[in-house]
Amino acid sequence: MPAAASAAPVARQTQAPPPTSSASPTPPTSSASPTPSSAEVTVVDPALVKRAVKAAALGNAMEWFDFGVYSYIAVTLGKVFFPSGNPTAQLLSTFGAFAAAFLIRPLGGMVFGPLGDRIGRQKILALTMIMMAAGTFAIGLIPSYASIGVGAPILLLIARLVQGFSTGGEYAGASTFIAEYAPDKKRGFFGSWLEFGTLAGYIGGAGLVTLMTALLSSEDLLTWGWRIPFLIAGPMGLIGLYLRMKLEETPAFAAELAKAHKDEQSRPKVRLRDMVTGQWKALLLCMGLVLVFNVTDYMLLSYMPSYLTSELKYDETHGLMVVLAVMALMMCVQPFAGALTDRVGRRPVIAAGCAGFLLLSVPALLLIREGSLWAIGLGMAALGLLLVCFTASMPSTLPALFPTKVRYGSLSIGFNISVSIFGGTTPLVVTALIGATGNMMMPAYYMMAAAVVGGIAVWFVSESAGRPLPGSPPAVEASSPVGV
């Protein structure tokens, strides 16, 4: 940590001014936890909050950089790692290795989540960063099937499993890290930058592959060019690891650790039973919110390019460019939407997103099916702006469902189970539904069903905007008057 930062603690517990007749009212407390003492306030250095956001968002960006690269270069990877002769079998095998990462994510969450609640958020996020970078970097070093035969797809699968296992602890840890650092009144704004990193990573990965495809010949791309995007993950991972290692532990976990020492324990006691059965209501709400968040996310960002090309016979390059343009639009709106959740609340914004997908999915898809560039762009932009309702609010909403003691673990379990079952399977399920029914409107109906589930979940979620996290005292920026 730089000298200027290490000279003062990240956060401190301080005494609020004695109450007077003109004193400002104390900040609202979360209804999900016991009310902390009104004399305790966590004061956080704004500069360190911003550093925490950057370090957390970079890991998310790297995860989705790999996602964008892998999705856009899948055909080439099939030729590199699998036997020649059947292009369809090659592509299916490539996406099979890609899907394997989703299957192991819940296991990674069950390992890294409890560890994050026991030994600290910062240490686990540093470990997941190393593993993600190593897995992605390793793909760029694997010899081709022509060189080592069946060993090539086996090594690819191992690298993907490492990536998926580490990802199981990444999103929950990153959102927890930001939420526990951020002041109560700006938690939505700071949390929204996590998904800003997601969009930036995906655009960076997909854009790099698109640029390489335009500049390199098919032979060069197949021989050596495909390795470049994966090898970039090495330097990215080192930068992210440096940023994460320079951070101190979150104030909320530091308080849990101090409490454990006071009770003569070396570490907080965290049991898997407490994370699951003790939090089953919050887990169900978490899974419902994650379902609508990820079904619509994967539908728009992963499935729609294939839908435009395979189902509507739209030009592949133009389809990809439309999706990238929509993601750029979402990036521009994201921080403002995050700040909006701090002003009007998380629940109204999420509810608006659910209502929007319920009412506008069919009109938006009809526009997309019209086929002209302006209609496709308008329909995709409408879905993208609705998705921002979730990307801007979920990073601050989900951590607030759980108390500090089990926050990382419970969120990891609920998030990854929902993503693996519902989010990652969205392209496959929708493709199967279209094949079984012949109904090209299935993507809209699937998003509408997800919106119903999300609407039910948000109905039962307590508002968390402007309130302390469960079990924590109010958190304010260092420049703010204590107690305001």
Side-chain angles (χ1 to χ4, degrees):
M1 170 132 352
S6 59
V10 174
R12 62 184 184 274
Q13 301 294 327
T14 185
Q15 297 294 319
T20 66
S21 59
S22 60
S24 300
T26 57
T29 57
S30 171
S31 60
S33 63
T35 303
S37 169
S38 60
E40 294 180 352
V41 176
T42 300
V43 182
V44 186
D45 184 343
L48 294 182
V49 176
K50 294 177 182 177
R51 286 176 53 197
V53 171
K54 292 177 183 177
L58 183 59
N60 225 39
M62 195 175 77
E63 173 190 345
W64 281 80
F65 175 87
D66 168 72
F67 189 93
V69 168
Y70 202 100
S71 298
Y72 278 47
I73 209 169
V75 174
T76 301
L77 293 180
K79 296 176 182 178
V80 171
F81 289 110
F82 297 97
S84 60
N86 189 334
T88 302
Q90 289 178 336
L91 187 60
L92 287 174
S93 299
T94 302
F95 279 118
F98 181 74
F102 284 95
L103 298 178
I104 202 171
R105 280 184 67 155
L107 180 59
M110 293 180 68
V111 172
F112 289 122
L115 281 175
D117 285 325
R118 179 169 176 78
I119 68 175
R121 288 76 161 104
Q122 185 260 357
K123 294 182 178 65
I124 297 303
L125 284 175
L127 178 58
T128 58
M129 175 65 77
I130 293 173
M131 293 182 65
M132 277 197 304
T136 305
F137 186 78
I139 292 177
L141 300 177
I142 299 174
S144 66
Y145 184 89
S147 300
I148 63 173
V150 72
I154 291 176
L155 290 174
L156 175 64
L157 178 61
I158 292 173
R160 287 297 301 163
L161 291 176
V162 171
Q163 289 176 314
F165 189 78
S166 63
T167 302
E170 176 62 30
Y171 186 90
S175 58
T176 293
F177 199 77
I178 293 176
E180 292 183 348
Y181 254 108
D184 296 334
K185 294 183 179 180
K186 294 185 178 180
R187 189 169 292 119
F189 171 73
F190 285 119
S192 69
W193 288 95
L194 184 62
E195 289 295 332
F196 185 95
T198 293
L199 296 167
Y202 195 100
I203 290 177
L208 178 59
V209 171
T210 302
L211 179 63
M212 290 174 53
T213 303
L215 296 179
L216 298 178
S217 66
S218 299
E219 183 179 353
D220 287 341
L221 186 65
L222 183 62
T223 304
W224 55 269
W226 67 270
R227 298 183 184 274
I228 294 176
F230 294 101
L231 295 178
I232 289 176
M236 285 178 60
L238 291 176
I239 294 172
L241 178 62
Y242 172 80
L243 291 175
R244 290 186 174 184
M245 291 298 291
K246 300 295 286 185
L247 291 171
E248 296 181 10
E249 192 50 80
T250 68
F253 182 78
E256 283 292 320
L257 194 60
K259 180 180 177 181
H261 285 310
K262 185 178 180 180
D263 296 337
E264 299 182 352
Q265 301 169 10
S266 58
R267 297 288 179 185
K269 287 185 177 180
V270 183
R271 296 178 298 181
L272 185 61
R273 183 178 65 183
D274 296 333
M275 297 179 182
V276 180
T277 59
Q279 300 292 325
W280 68 269
K281 291 183 180 179
L283 277 173
L284 288 177
L285 295 176
C286 174
M287 292 176 66
L289 293 174
V290 172
L291 184 151
V292 66
F293 174 24
N294 279 269
V295 164
T296 52
D297 195 333
Y298 282 89
M299 185 75 75
L300 179 63
L301 306 185
S302 301
Y303 177 71
M304 274 301 162
S306 299
Y307 181 80
L308 292 173
T309 303
S310 61
E311 306 295 348
L312 303 184
K313 310 304 178 185
Y314 193 71
D315 177 71
E316 182 177 1
T317 301
H318 284 87
L320 295 178
M321 294 305 295
V322 169
V323 174
L324 291 179
V326 170
M327 295 175 70
L329 172 65
M330 293 173 62
M331 287 180 66
C332 295
V333 177
Q334 182 77 8
F336 299 100
L340 180 65
T341 70
D342 288 321
R343 296 188 63 181
V344 305
R346 326 282 191 233
R347 295 178 73 242
V349 174
I350 298 173
C354 293
F357 274 107
L358 186 62
L359 298 175
L360 300 179
S361 289
V362 169
L365 194 61
L366 288 174
L367 272 175
I368 293 170
R369 285 178 54 77
E370 194 273 338
S372 63
L373 181 60
W374 74 267
I376 292 175
L378 184 59
M380 294 285 286
L383 294 177
L385 292 176
L386 288 174
L387 180 57
V388 169
C389 293
F390 305 144
T391 59
S393 56
M394 293 298 181
S396 53
T397 300
L398 298 176
L401 293 173
F402 306 100
T404 303
K405 185 176 182 180
V406 297
R407 180 172 295 126
Y408 197 157
S410 295
L411 180 51
S412 292
I413 294 170
F415 184 89
N416 287 296
I417 289 177
S418 190
V419 169
S420 297
I421 296 176
F422 303 108
T425 60
T426 294
L428 178 62
V429 171
V430 173
T431 302
L433 288 173
I434 292 176
T437 65
N439 191 332
M440 302 293 287
M441 296 300 295
M442 276 299 168
Y445 301 149
Y446 201 67
M447 288 188 289
M448 291 169 67
V452 172
V453 175
I456 294 173
V458 76
W459 178 267
F460 292 99
V461 169
S462 299
E463 183 58 70
S464 60
R467 301 179 180 182
L469 292 172
S472 298
V476 298
E477 289 182 326
S479 57
S480 301
V482 176
V484 176

